[in-house]
Structure formats: C-alpha cells, structure tokens
Amino acid sequence: MLCSQKGGSGKSTVAVNLASFLAKMKKDCVLVDSDMQKTASTWAMDREADESLPKVYSIQKQDNIRGTLLDMARRYEYVVVDSPGRDCREMRTGITAADLLIVPLKCSQPDLDTLPTMKQIIEEAKDFNPKVQVKTLLTMVSTNPLVTEKEE
C-alpha cells in the first residue's frame, strides 16, 4: 500500500508503475484505487487502449477498504493500493490490511514535516496489524549534483 498524509508525493505514480512492472513480470496483480481523484483508475483505463501492453486489473474502492483488501489478497498474488494524499478512513483502514506500507516522500521540508503524524498513524494501525512492514521511498530526488536536498 502506498500512502502519505500529503498530496503530491508520488503515490499514484509509484503505484501504477509498480502494478505495470508486476503485470510485465506476469504476476497476478490488482491495482486498488482508493483516492477519489481516481488517478490510478484513469491510468488503468488509458492503458487498456493499448492491447500490446500486459493487462493491469484495477478496481476503485472508497471509505472502509479493509475488507476489500483482505478479499483481494486471497484472490491475487499482489494487491497494489493507491491511497488519498491526506489522513482519511481509506488510509487508516488500508494500513490495517497491508503487508507492506510504502510512504513516498519528496526531498522537501514540508514532506519531512509530515513524518511525526504519519508515524503516529502507523503506530495506531499496528495495534490491528502488527505484522505490517513500513518503508519510506524518496521520490523526485534531483540528480543535479549541486542540489543537496537528499543529504539534508
């Protein structure tokens, strides 16, 4: 599951690329779009137009997504979840069903400032899902050697 309480961190981009990679590797995968902006779902619909690409199955689900994710986990080898960029029910219920939580962050102070609250949300969710693994992914890191944000 990809989640962050801040929009613009790259959750949808990472989610669709991960789902696309898994499909290319012939893995049994579904993409769950729990964001009302429907970025991942729109991407999946656009992708269907090119029949030469491996199929990425996609569903939309809002509100309490826990039951849906647990059901999808029984049906698919991989369930990739794109969550909204805010603290919401979709994010909190999704974490309680996730095996792996990826928290994308841009190399910026506003993104880093979200970490204390995100840590608290994750700790609360671990009361219901103690086995969830959590990773942070730095996104949109500048490759310009003169930009030092990634070290900072």
Side-chain angles (χ1 to χ4, degrees):
M1 177 173 175
L2 289 119
C3 75
S4 172
Q5 65 175 28
K6 186 172 182 313
S9 63
K11 291 177 304 303
S12 297
T13 300
V14 174
V16 300
N17 278 284
L18 183 55
S20 176
F21 172 77
L22 290 167
K24 182 179 178 182
M25 300 306 292
K26 300 186 183 339
K27 300 295 183 181
D28 186 30
C29 174
V30 64
L31 176 62
V32 178
D33 189 349
S34 67
D35 189 349
M36 290 173 47
Q37 290 184 352
K38 297 180 175 66
T39 303
S41 296
T42 301
W43 171 87
M45 286 189 307
D46 291 345
R47 182 182 172 91
E48 286 180 11
D50 188 343
E51 294 179 10
S52 69
L53 296 173
K55 174 82 172 154
V56 173
Y57 297 97
S58 174
I59 66 164
Q60 294 175 9
K61 176 68 176 160
Q62 279 84 41
D63 201 35
N64 183 343
I65 65 172
R66 177 182 167 80
T68 298
L69 297 185
L70 293 173
D71 181 52
M72 292 291 112
R74 286 189 291 273
R75 298 168 187 246
Y76 291 89
E77 186 178 2
Y78 294 94
V79 179
V80 178
V81 183
D82 181 27
S83 69
R86 64 185 185 287
D87 184 359
C88 60
R89 191 166 190 200
E90 290 85 357
M91 181 176 74
R92 288 180 180 255
T93 60
I95 295 171
T96 67
D99 293 323
L100 174 64
L101 182 64
I102 301 172
V103 182
L105 292 172
K106 289 192 303 188
C107 288
S108 70
Q109 193 59 50
D111 277 49
L112 292 174
D113 289 343
T114 67
L115 287 178
T117 302
M118 198 65 216
K119 182 178 184 258
Q120 179 182 351
I121 292 167
I122 292 167
E123 289 303 317
E124 291 170 2
K126 281 186 170 186
D127 290 341
F128 301 96
N129 183 8
K131 294 181 181 178
V132 66
Q133 295 181 29
V134 182
K135 304 291 182 188
T136 301
L137 174 66
L138 293 177
T139 60
M140 298 175 250
V141 178
S142 175
T143 57
N144 183 336
L146 300 176
V147 176
T148 61
E149 285 180 325
K150 65 183 176 188
E151 284 85 12
E152 293 171 9

